[in-house]
Amino acid sequence: MTATFKKDESVHGTAFTFKKDSIVETTDITTMNEPVTLKNIDDNGYEEDKYLGNYLRAKMKRDNKRFWAGDNISDYLHEGDVEKLIDEATEAFELVLDRLLIDRENDPNSKGTARRLAKMYFNEIMAGRYETAPDATAFPNDSADRYEGMLVVRSELRSMCSHHHQPVSGVAYIGIIAANKLIGLSKYTRIAQWCARRGTLQEELCNDIAREISKATDSENVAVYIQAVHGCCENRGIMAHSSLTQTTVLKGFFKEDPGAKKEFFDNIKLQQEFAPR
Ligand SMILES: [Zn+2]
């Protein structure tokens, strides 16, 4: 049996023309390759009867804005957009269930599953793509008795691999050497979770958390260590239940000074002894 892969031109193609006030034609998987016409590709040009998802993708492509599974696209969303996108994704998930030959009309457990999936993606497992960064109020740390030591915070993580959309569950240890400002302790975890609630690879997630913590704290001296188990290795494929993946990103002193690196990992061991998981 030969499967024919029909290219979604809006994803794979170069057939886009972005002329303001001109008609742009594209196709979208949610409409089963029916042409969709978008007019006036600008902030106010969205027409209510069209798919908002198509319009937003067109805008991001026009702007060369990357919208991979691990990217935050909150700059492109306005109030009420997520609800509309959930409606559109519900329609698309209904089609997926139909294609999987699941009787969503009569199976009581599958009624409403399409909407549950759409809501779960937008509001939970991929929420970090659509929400703006958590507000991390900073407190000054510049007085004579400023804290100059290392801070290590453990953050529980739930994520999802972008390859298989399987859960990733683990813990991140975030280390910083305090700079001129400090953020509340819970903010480390909020930032880590905001980065994790997307489609990620653990390696990328480690980098993303380090970058965002560095931004929020103004400290270039940041370390992130993550250990996590991956549903895609447990529920499918190799089906290895004890697999554990460890990733580390070291920046600034953590990278340059072996003493700082050792202190960071010693702190992690102390945390694990104190509260094993
Ligand atoms: Zn995977």
Side-chain angles (χ1 to χ4, degrees):
M1 189 182 146
T2 328
T4 4
F5 172 65
K6 190 137 192 258
K7 278 204 326 183
D8 175 357
E9 286 300 327
S10 62
V11 175
H12 304 277
T14 48
F16 265 81
T17 44
F18 293 107
K19 270 195 229 137
K20 208 180 164 200
D21 301 321
S22 73
I23 292 172
V24 177
E25 288 202 336
T26 179
T27 53
D28 190 271
I29 195 95
T30 55
T31 59
M32 286 306 288
N33 299 326
E34 272 173 37
V36 172
T37 307
L38 299 174
K39 287 181 183 168
N40 301 330
I41 306 279
D42 65 24
D43 276 350
N44 304 311
Y46 168 64
E47 291 184 295
E48 279 302 319
D49 61 319
K50 305 299 179 200
Y51 283 93
L52 176 60
N54 285 350
Y55 167 70
L56 294 175
R57 277 195 319 170
K59 267 176 65 162
M60 291 189 285
K61 287 181 70 124
R62 177 197 61 185
D63 299 349
N64 285 323
K65 155 74 184 162
R66 207 177 77 164
F67 53 105
W68 294 3
D71 292 330
N72 180 279
I73 58 164
S74 57
D75 281 353
Y76 283 79
L77 300 174
H78 299 98
E79 214 180 314
D81 283 357
V82 165
E83 287 67 31
K84 175 93 175 86
L85 291 167
I86 287 173
D87 288 344
E88 293 176 6
T90 298
E91 221 178 280
F93 278 123
E94 283 171 353
L95 188 62
V96 172
L97 293 170
D98 290 348
R99 293 292 180 268
L100 290 171
L101 304 177
I102 292 170
D103 182 357
R104 60 185 175 84
E105 270 114 47
N106 296 303
D107 173 0
N109 299 317
S110 299
K111 276 184 191 170
T113 292
R115 176 158 293 274
R116 278 191 288 274
L117 282 170
K119 283 170 79 176
M120 179 183 73
Y121 269 85
F122 278 96
N123 296 336
E124 292 168 302
I125 58 181
M126 280 206 173
R129 300 191 72 231
Y130 311 108
E131 289 171 356
T132 54
D135 176 29
T137 313
F139 306 97
N141 183 44
D142 49 11
S143 61
D145 59 348
R146 65 194 295 269
Y147 179 72
E148 292 179 318
M150 185 181 294
L151 200 87
V152 181
V153 177
R154 183 166 84 166
S155 304
E156 296 281 335
L157 285 188
R158 291 289 177 276
S159 191
M160 186 185 84
C161 84
S162 46
H163 292 153
H164 302 94
H165 290 203
Q166 286 288 304
V168 175
S169 123
V171 64
Y173 293 88
I174 301 164
I176 70 157
I177 315 264
N180 286 335
K181 62 185 197 182
L182 295 173
I183 56 170
L185 292 179
S186 66
K187 302 302 181 199
Y188 292 91
T189 300
R190 287 206 190 286
I191 291 169
Q193 288 177 344
W194 176 65
C195 294
R197 297 310 249 171
R198 306 175 191 186
T200 63
L201 292 189
Q202 189 174 322
E203 299 88 328
E204 281 173 7
L205 179 57
C206 223
N207 274 329
D208 290 349
I209 294 174
R211 187 187 58 247
E212 295 301 328
I213 293 293
S214 183
K215 264 196 228 166
T217 58
D218 265 356
S219 176
E220 287 166 7
N221 306 307
V222 175
V224 179
Y225 164 78
I226 298 179
Q227 57 181 47
V229 289
H230 290 246
C232 61
C233 298
E234 293 191 331
N235 303 336
R236 55 161 299 286
I238 193 166
M239 297 209 274
H241 293 285
S242 60
S243 69
L244 181 70
T245 304
Q246 299 170 299
T247 45
T248 309
V249 169
L250 303 171
K251 305 244 186 228
F253 289 147
F254 288 98
K255 191 172 179 180
E256 291 144 22
D257 176 3
K261 181 177 170 182
K262 185 175 182 309
E263 188 181 334
F264 176 58
F265 282 104
D266 285 349
N267 271 314
I268 291 173
K269 278 180 218 142
L270 287 170
Q271 290 219 20
Q272 289 176 338
E273 273 169 34
F274 175 71
R277 71 176 307 281

